[in-house]
């Protein structure tokens, strides 16, 4: 009897032991030995203002970058309070990085060595197959996509604002027009990439080169960067944009993030098919410049913000605003063959695992919020969680194709499969999330009305399952198979892929 009891106790004890393997990553710890979390992020990480100042003075005001009709172009002075036509009055800062991108790059978080996105356990993870992700997409989806004719397809690009998203400034008409423009760029890229994956190598690669050449010549999309101002509501209820009080909110960057992944795939195609073309280097510098702009305040590290009139450093919380980096940096790292970018993306991926509970829920997404209809936490927990799951799931496929078994890559036993499993189960049964969110009902738009924008759909699931065995759930799979938007990933250029 004693042996049986001992055996039971031993079984219970050992069932909670995490068996380490070669892919086990030690959690990041802050200076005082505490695990990094959002509560001690700011006080335990130090920014390097000098490097930031170098980058920021690498921007300039020039007529080329301004929106048509600005009343302030001739004087060169910034308005204290822009007019209601804020997107016409605002001065737009242009980056000079296209002239000297490598001199201005800041790789890997430019903080001290005790910050969350610089885990020392990851230094040996490097790019194994340069530009290999394109081959993986071609081999995996070549027979699953339907190509379209590209004869009449011409490059499309446009000017926009570096300020707040127009719809947030209550300019719905302009905001809708702008949003439609982003979607048009995405769909143009998707037509080229899908055609290439389907075997139309010559025509598609020529179109890709043409698009990147025109983008480069016109500095397309290069006006997107962290916002040098802030928006407020005055006593009369009017919203205005104030350039004298910068908060560096990354709203504009969230729009560049939509366009950048498929732009990188276009670059990958050109690199594969036209590596020796005289225009290739210009295309590479252009895309490299966009990546620099995206990371000009530190790779997945944080940002400067206005704190009582002074610029102070803060670490970005690891949530749907930053989990993007796992996908973008690994994608560019592999395409360019840049170990530092790949490693920076992997750091964000691992940081996400660290910020995940044992049940697979991401701590910063699935949480309580006192507001009944909050878009962050509470009611909005699962749709925000889905965004982060989408980003790290795509990143996982990039990491996996480099020869690293991403299903074994873990922090304290938590893997990408745990994150995906919770997301799946919580969509099917919301009660799974209740203990973390404190609410019975959640926003499940991504599940019941999936968007063509991938982060608000379940396309990540149908995409990832082509690379490794994802968690299975018959009810979930049956439900998501009803929606066509769950079978497109335009952010990577997949206009559609068959239900396999």
């Amino acid at each position: 009897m004693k042996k049986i009891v001992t055996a039971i106790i031993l079984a219970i004890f050992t069932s909670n032991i995490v068996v380490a393997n070669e892919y086990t990553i030690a959690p990041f710890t802050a200076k005082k030995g505490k695990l990094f979390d959002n509560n001690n992020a700011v006080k335990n990480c130090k920014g390097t203002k000098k490097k930031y100042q170098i980058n920021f003075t690498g921007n300039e005001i020039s007529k080329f970058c301004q929106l048509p009709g600005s009343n302030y172009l001739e004087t060169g002075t910034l308005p204290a309070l822009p007019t209601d036509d804020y997107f016409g009055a605002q001065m737009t800062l242009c980056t000079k990085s296209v002239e000297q991108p490598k001199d201005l790059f800041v790789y890997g978080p430019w903080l001290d060595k005790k910050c969350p996105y610089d885990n020392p356990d990851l230094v040996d993870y490097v790019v194994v197959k340069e530009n290999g992700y394109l081959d993986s997409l071609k081999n995996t989806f070549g027979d699953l996509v339907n190509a379209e004719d590209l004869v009449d397809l011409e490059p499309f690009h446009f000017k926009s604002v570096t300020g707040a998203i127009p719809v947030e400034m209550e300019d719905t008409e302009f905001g809708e027009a702008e949003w439609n423009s982003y979607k048009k760029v995405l769909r143009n890229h998707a037509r080229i990439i899908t055609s290439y994956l389907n075997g139309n190598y010559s025509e598609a690669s020529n179109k890709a080169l043409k698009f990147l050449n025109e983008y480069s010549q016109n500095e397309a999309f290069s006006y997107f960067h962290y916002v040098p101002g802030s928006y407020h509501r005055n006593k009369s209820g009017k919203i205005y944009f104030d350039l004298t009080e910068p908060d560096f909110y990354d709203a504009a960057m969230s729009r560049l993030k939509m366009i950048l992944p498929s732009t990188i795939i276009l670059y990958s195609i050109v690199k594969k098919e036209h590596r020796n073309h005289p225009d290739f280097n210009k295309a590479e510098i252009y895309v490299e410049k966009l990546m620099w702009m995206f990371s000009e305040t530190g790779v997945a590290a944080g940002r400067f913000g206005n704190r009582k009139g002074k610029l102070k450093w803060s670490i970005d919380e690891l949530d749907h605003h930053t989990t993007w980096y796992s996908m973008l940096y690994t994608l560019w790292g592999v395409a360019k063959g840049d170990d530092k970018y790949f490693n920076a993306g992997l750091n964000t991926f691992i940081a996400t695992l660290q910020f995940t509970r044992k049940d697979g829920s991401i701590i910063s997404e699935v949480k309580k919020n006192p507001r009944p209809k909050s878009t962050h936490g509470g009611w909005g927990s699962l749709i925000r969680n889905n965004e982060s799951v989408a980003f790290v799931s795509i990143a996982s496929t990039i990491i996996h194709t480099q020869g690293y078994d991403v299903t074994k890559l873990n922090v304290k036993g938590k893997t990408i499969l745990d994150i995906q499993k919770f997301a799946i189960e919580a969509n099917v049964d919301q009660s799974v999330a209740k203990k973390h969110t404190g609410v019975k009902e959640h926003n499940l738009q991504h599940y019941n009305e999936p968007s063509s924008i991938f982060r608000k759909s379940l396309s990540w699931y149908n995409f990832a399952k082509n690379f490794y065995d994802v968690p299975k759930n018959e009810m979930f799979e049956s439900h998501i198979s009803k929606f066509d938007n769950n079978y497109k990933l335009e952010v990577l250029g997949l206009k559609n892929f068959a239900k396999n």
Side-chain angles (χ1 to χ4, degrees), residues 93-165:
L93 294 173
C94 299
T95 179
K96 293 167 64 178
S97 59
V98 69
E99 300 169 10
Q100 45 183 169
K102 293 181 180 179
D103 295 335
L104 295 175
F105 279 167
V106 177
Y107 285 119
W110 46 267
L111 302 164
D112 62 27
K113 292 300 181 182
K114 290 293 185 181
C115 282
Y117 305 108
D118 199 8
N119 194 313
D121 268 17
L122 297 175
V123 294
D124 294 329
Y125 286 80
V126 295
V127 176
V128 178
K129 303 173 185 177
E130 182 176 337
N131 207 25
Y133 195 55
L134 179 65
D135 289 333
S136 295
L137 292 177
K138 186 167 59 175
N139 295 336
T140 304
F141 295 100
D143 295 331
L144 301 179
V145 294
N146 297 314
E148 293 183 16
D149 180 67
L150 303 178
V151 175
D152 298 325
L153 185 63
E154 294 296 326
F156 170 76
H157 53 85
F158 57 97
K159 289 286 185 183
S160 185
V161 296
T162 53
I165 296 175

Side-chain angles (χ1 to χ4, degrees), residues 156 175-185:
F156 170 76
E176 288 180 355
E178 184 188 44
W179 183 250
N180 288 335
S181 296
Y182 298 128
K183 289 194 288 187
K184 182 174 180 178
V185 172

Side-chain angles (χ1 to χ4, degrees), residues 329-398:
Y329 292 142
T330 52
L331 183 62
W332 174 245
V334 169
K336 179 67 164 51
D338 191 315
D339 292 338
K340 293 179 180 178
Y341 264 109
F342 178 75
N343 198 260
L346 186 58
N347 265 282
T348 307
F349 179 84
I350 290 299
T352 307
L353 294 180
Q354 182 167 323
F355 282 110
T356 297
R357 301 182 183 95
K358 290 182 179 180
D359 65 0
S361 58
I362 299 173
I363 296 170
S364 57
E365 305 287 18
V366 186
K367 59 186 180 181
K368 293 181 172 64
N369 191 303
R371 291 181 295 162
K373 288 289 184 178
S374 171
T375 58
H376 293 69
W379 176 77
S381 289
L382 296 185
I383 193 169
R384 294 299 186 185
N385 187 68
N386 187 72
E387 293 188 30
S388 282
V389 175
F391 304 147
V392 294
S393 291
I394 293 175
S396 72
T397 67
I398 301 169

Side-chain angles (χ1 to χ4, degrees), residues 1 86 107 130 154 264 267 321 356 361 367 372 425 488:
M1 181 67 177
Y86 66 92
Y107 285 119
E130 182 176 337
E154 294 296 326
I264 293 173
Y267 160 81
H321 287 283
T356 297
S361 58
K367 59 186 180 181
E425 291 178 351
K488 62 176 62 175

Side-chain angles (χ1 to χ4, degrees), residues 153 156 158 179-194 211 215 221 255-263 266 324 452-455 489-495:
L153 185 63
F156 170 76
F158 57 97
W179 183 250
N180 288 335
S181 296
Y182 298 128
K183 289 194 288 187
K184 182 174 180 178
V185 172
L186 270 179
R187 287 167 183 167
N188 282 349
H189 290 181
R191 287 179 63 183
I192 295 173
I193 296 167
T194 297
F211 269 56
Y215 289 169
F221 319 124
R255 293 173 283 175
L256 175 58
K257 286 184 289 192
M258 288 175 55
I259 297 171
L260 195 47
S262 59
T263 304
L266 291 183
W324 266 99
S452 61
I453 302 300
F454 79 106
R455 65 182 186 272
L489 201 65
E490 290 180 335
V491 71
L492 288 183
L494 290 173
K495 189 171 179 61

